[in-house]
Amino acid sequence: MSIVLGYDESPGAARALRIAVEVAAAFEETLVLVYGAAAPGPTGEEYRSHRDAIRQTGRTGLEHAVAEADRAGVPTVVEVIDEKPAQALVDAATRHAARVIVVGSWSESPIRGALLGSTPHKLLHMSTVPVLCVPPEE
């Protein structure tokens, strides 16, 4: 089994990372760090440039998460997936037999999240494994 973490350096990501590392260490499981890198818009050269920039942003952010997991002695797998974040996390959870998916929240209102489609909100409806939604630090 594994612990899957959606990590994007958002306000809730730092605390979610710490919680995910603690859970992975407690269960002695691999932490799968996932960044959903679907680029918006049509295909073509502009799309490829946008996709490449998003993928690089994801890889850079995940380097920080790997370093924190390494300090705790937690093994990691890194995946930058060309899908929207919620779908990327669900797919990674399936591939890695996840015990739980951990995501950070932005402390937005439930109405705003429902209207704009927050990743935690989507995961609660899409995932077949438990979802741990971690609020940001106060």
Side-chain angles (χ1 to χ4, degrees), residues 75-86:
T76 57
V77 171
V78 172
E79 293 193 4
V80 177
I81 302 171
D82 288 328
E83 293 182 30
K84 292 182 179 178

Side-chain angles (χ1 to χ4, degrees), residues 7-8 33-37 54-55 57-59 62 79-81 88:
Y7 188 79
D8 63 0
L33 300 159
V34 178
Y35 185 86
I54 291 171
R55 289 179 63 81
T57 298
R59 281 191 291 274
L62 293 174
E79 293 193 4
V80 177
I81 302 171

Side-chain angles (χ1 to χ4, degrees), residues 1 6 29 38 40 43 45 49 62 64 72 78 106-107 114 128 131-132:
M1 296 192 92
E29 293 181 340
T43 60
E45 189 59 38
S49 295
L62 293 174
H64 169 256
V78 172
W106 289 50
S107 290
T128 59
V131 175
L132 174 57

